[in-house]
Amino acid sequence: SGVFSRLLAERGWNVTGIDLSEAMIQQARNYKSRMTNDEQQVQFQQSSFEAFESDKGPFDLILSLSMLEYVEDDEAAIEKCSRLLRPGGVLVVSVPNRAGLLRKLEGTIFGIRTATKGRVFGARGGYLEHQKRQYSPLELDILMRQMGLKKKRGIFLNAGIAGPRWLLPFLERRWWAAMYCGAYKMNQDEQDEKG
């Protein structure tokens, strides 16, 4: 919806935002119309990641937030990200943490919803119908390394629970967290080989 695009623009970045959903792109454009002139270096484009083309690259940073789990070929998407990055560029990825208790609970609830044809938990987890996969942190790190991207940092994120604050450190652990987010840097040697 343009939130991260605006945050980056406020910090002086030129931003290209893409989404498959026309409704999300329209929300982002509406959000952009409220930006100041200094923040206007944002362009939005409706596109799947697979079809995305840009003459603005190579990019210093690519944010792939909750995207990899929906594409048909995640390896091809990661490889495309590595081609779009400049040498030393960073790819930040968030994915569902398959190892987390919240994801396992979510899968159980979705299974009950499916088995009962929506009579139980009818409004829960509809997006899981479209999700192709989930990842353990190790699986994602291995995929990234195969594409020449080296992990700089990884964190676990909870499922939108904001408090109580004392509880948050426990929810943002590998065994509980719903999301895993990693920052991966393009190795110079790998980029030279892809040339």
Side-chain angles (χ1 to χ4, degrees):
S1 61
V3 173
F4 289 105
S5 298
R6 182 174 185 173
L7 286 172
L8 291 169
E10 285 173 351
R11 287 160 178 76
W13 291 73
N14 291 316
V15 179
T16 300
I18 67 168
D19 199 290
L20 184 58
S21 166
E22 179 59 39
M24 291 302 285
I25 291 296
Q26 191 54 53
Q27 258 189 311
R29 288 181 178 139
N30 291 343
Y31 196 61
K32 179 183 175 186
S33 69
R34 298 189 307 265
M35 293 181 187
T36 67
N37 286 338
D38 291 344
E39 301 165 343
Q40 289 283 339
Q41 61 265 34
V42 180
Q43 300 299 315
F44 293 110
Q45 176 180 338
Q46 181 189 4
S47 174
S48 68
F49 185 72
E50 296 89 343
F52 173 70
E53 296 294 332
S54 175
D55 57 1
K56 297 187 186 227
F59 295 96
D60 295 318
L61 172 69
I62 296 175
L63 292 179
S64 172
L65 305 177
S66 296
M67 182 270 289
L68 272 183
E69 62 267 29
Y70 295 105
V71 297
E72 290 296 329
D73 187 344
D74 58 343
E75 289 184 31
I78 295 168
E79 194 275 329
K80 184 172 187 174
C81 285
S82 71
R83 279 188 286 114
L84 290 170
L85 280 173
R86 70 163 176 77
V90 175
L91 170 62
V92 176
V93 178
S94 71
V95 294
N97 174 27
R98 188 179 70 221
L101 185 60
L102 283 176
R103 288 294 172 188
K104 291 175 183 178
L105 179 61
E106 177 183 67
T108 301
I109 290 170
F110 183 69
I112 292 169
R113 175 187 167 211
T114 303
T116 64
K117 296 184 168 81
R119 289 187 297 275
V120 178
F121 301 121
R124 304 294 297 170
Y127 63 91
L128 291 174
E129 294 173 13
H130 308 287
Q131 213 174 67
K132 310 271 189 267
R133 67 195 69 77
Q134 296 183 356
Y135 301 84
S136 73
L138 179 61
E139 289 170 320
L140 185 64
D141 292 349
I142 290 170
L143 276 171
M144 294 297 177
R145 187 162 290 276
Q146 289 171 340
M147 299 300 166
L149 295 154
K150 183 177 179 185
K151 183 164 82 173
K152 301 314 266 174
R153 183 157 189 234
I155 62 171
F156 293 91
L157 305 169
N158 71 51
I161 299 168
R165 289 181 65 80
W166 62 266
L167 186 59
L168 296 182
F170 299 105
L171 298 179
E172 294 173 347
R173 301 257 191 238
R174 175 186 309 265
W175 56 270
W176 177 266
M179 301 294 289
Y180 175 68
C181 185
Y184 301 88
K185 188 171 184 178
M186 173 54 67
N187 291 333
Q188 177 68 45
D189 297 337
E190 296 287 339
Q191 186 72 21
D192 291 342
E193 288 177 22
K194 292 178 193 248

